Amino acid sequence: MEESIEMSSKLTYYSLYSRLLSESSLLSAFGKVKKADGSAGIDSQSTAAFASNRDDEIRLLLSELKTKSYRPLPVLRVEIPKDNGGVRQLGVPAVRDRVVQQALLDILQPIFEEDFHPSSYGYRPERSCHHAITKTQLFIRKYDMKHVVDMDLSKCFDTYGS
């Protein structure tokens, strides 16, 4: 059972892990993963293959999560060619790991979304780079701004520790 207490008009959530331990939340998460239909991960299992054995796959994930024996697989490293001749490194998680990630996102996003700055656009629901550009143009026109700061943390997540 999820518990929460009210503090300063904000909810503090307890037992979020228990929300992950729900067959319906994992099924819903898989529906979103299947809709995105990404590539297979390191285990070569496609979303279609996962779907063909969906109920067993979800039950196995649920059992692993309940017993805390779940361990994500390593991500598959893929290089995507860039227009400038370079390559972009991608990490492709296994479908089962994307299901768990999506279920976690479904639980955590509603809790934390309201705390993000309104001018933050990266990886946010219902926001895109086009929204960010429109907002930038608005600020330039309305406030006669002269500078735009863009920060790209190149290869930020490519290394572990330093």
Side-chain angles (χ1 to χ4, degrees), residues 43-81:
D43 61 354
S44 300
Q45 184 183 43
S46 66
T47 53
F50 190 100
S52 71
N53 200 18
R54 184 195 72 180
D55 293 342
D56 288 340
E57 294 283 358
I58 295 295
R59 277 194 289 274
L60 177 60
L61 267 179
L62 189 56
S63 173
E64 290 176 11
L65 290 165
K66 283 182 177 179
T67 61
K68 298 189 179 174
S69 63
Y70 167 78
R71 298 291 178 269
L73 296 171
V75 296
L76 176 66
R77 288 288 180 193
V78 178
E79 291 184 347
I80 306 295

